Amino acid sequence: MANDDLGRTLRRLRRLASLTQEELASRSGVSVDVIRQLEQRRKHSARLPTLHALANGLGVELTTLLGDPPAVSSTSENDGPRFVAVRRAIMPALWGPEPPPPGPEFTLDALRGQIADGWTQYHAAEFDTVMKALPDLISDARAAIAWREEPDRSSAFAALGKALQLAGHVAVRMGKTDLALTSLERAMDASQQSPDPLLPPMIVNSMAWVYQRQGRLEDALSIAVRAAAGIATAGHDGTADGLKVWGALTMSAATSAARSGDYDRAAAMMERAEKEASRVSSLPEGGDNRMVSVFSPSSVRIERVRLAVQYGHPRDALALAKGMRLSKDTPPSWRTWLLLDVARAHTDLGDAAGAVKTLESLRRVAPAWTRHHTLAVAIVRDLWALPHHPPGLRALADFLGVGE
């Protein structure tokens, strides 16, 4: 993979982890000379196995090391007008005017439906569509809070919490993790004034994901474990929605444990999650599934594939993925992650044809995700560096702007 910012990102993540170059070399198995050359930008490229090893040594996702999505800058100076509007909605101007009252056609039910649509669009990687809608969703929820009385006011706080949670997720995808945390902290404030006891732990799960992206693995693990325990203590895991939130938090905690090197603890968490996931279909449903955390036997298996390939077990990953039948409620984003991880596993095993075939499937089912995701670009760049290109690689390289 060639990336002008790779060395800068590597140095920042290494310092955040309080590691010397020698310590990172020991933890990753990558020579200190390679690390030094990358950080000094005397070397601008590295093969995917090297990047895997460095990410593991740093305790971060590979995508964290790869940097922002294609064509997305991590600096606020280059934010486009649409994202500036999202930023302004998350952090309105101090001492600004009170929001005007909602129009006569406004209803909270309609607002909740629009927010649920936004989550569906987010999972389909329709980020421009979501960013266009977010400022109005957030401002409408704030207006309802300012002008409505109970119980509508409490319901408006719940809507604001879900809208700000969505904004936080979009900010992460745009490479703005600090803005994401700001949005999620404000979502948490709103959720604690809402009538939904599952909303705060759902937002905790989002915060754990951002902490993982920032390399704050202990923080991510701690908050996910505490929130999952709180759901069980309160008995909320006796409903389908509550169990889904518990399961999502448990899988998040397992991911953090694995990235911290505690694979036994991660495996135990995933085993329990897989066992509990079988209960979801037998429990009473709650509200709109689009507004609840993703947790099912399919999502647990996808996460197990991800952890296997992330930590150097590509054959196990392919065995776990073989013959998988995904449930209907599995969001497109999770399906694309599975295909990406299968492509990574094929690449790690030297099966270029298998990787290309998988990426071709990904392009057919989710072209927007394929073009957006840095991991897809990294895999294709890795394959493009091979002396012999399998059929179909050139078309993928042209689609992603990787070819000659």
Side-chain angles (χ1 to χ4, degrees), residues 319-330:
L320 286 166
K322 187 175 181 180
M324 277 187 65
R325 302 182 67 179
L326 301 180
S327 58
K328 293 180 180 179
D329 62 349
T330 304

Side-chain angles (χ1 to χ4, degrees), residues 71-84 87 176:
V72 175
S73 170
S74 62
T75 59
S76 59
E77 290 79 7
N78 292 327
D79 287 348
R82 187 161 290 171
F83 195 76
V84 169
R87 187 187 295 275
K176 322 289 185 179

Side-chain angles (χ1 to χ4, degrees), residues 258-269:
R259 288 176 187 151
S260 300
D262 193 346
Y263 306 118
D264 291 340
R265 185 179 185 186
M269 289 178 175

Side-chain angles (χ1 to χ4, degrees), residues 92-229:
L94 293 175
W95 305 298
E98 187 176 58
E105 72 286 352
F106 172 85
T107 68
L108 278 171
D109 283 342
L111 177 60
R112 280 192 290 265
Q114 292 165 355
I115 295 170
D117 289 341
W119 279 101
T120 298
Q121 292 156 356
Y122 167 81
H123 285 301
E126 298 173 11
F127 299 121
D128 283 344
T129 303
V130 179
M131 283 194 288
K132 182 178 179 180
L134 268 173
D136 285 342
L137 297 179
I138 294 171
S139 63
D140 285 351
R142 287 200 171 112
I145 290 169
W147 291 93
R148 295 295 176 101
E149 297 181 355
E150 297 297 348
D152 282 354
R153 192 166 186 268
S154 294
S155 296
F157 271 115
L160 178 62
K162 287 303 293 185
L164 286 169
Q165 184 190 19
L166 178 58
H169 279 239
V170 170
V172 172
R173 292 300 179 194
M174 297 298 105
K176 322 289 185 179
T177 56
D178 286 338
L179 179 64
L181 287 178
T182 297
S183 190
L184 292 172
E185 286 168 358
R186 297 183 181 203
M188 181 62 74
D189 289 341
S191 74
Q192 291 170 340
Q193 299 179 73
S194 83
D196 185 357
L198 295 177
L199 185 51
M202 280 192 280
I203 294 169
V204 167
N205 196 36
S206 298
M207 296 183 78
W209 177 46
V210 181
Y211 287 156
Q212 289 171 0
R213 293 295 295 258
Q214 292 185 331
R216 297 170 57 179
L217 298 177
E218 290 184 8
D219 293 335
L221 176 61
S222 175
I223 65 171
V225 167
R226 287 204 308 271

Side-chain angles (χ1 to χ4, degrees), residues 277-283 285:
S278 63
R279 292 200 298 122
V280 170
S281 61
S282 65
L283 294 173
E285 289 288 346

Side-chain angles (χ1 to χ4, degrees), residues 339 346 351-362 364 391 396:
L339 289 171
H346 282 300
D351 181 7
V356 168
K357 183 178 179 180
T358 305
L359 289 173
E360 286 176 331
S361 297
L362 176 59
R364 284 194 299 271
L396 284 169

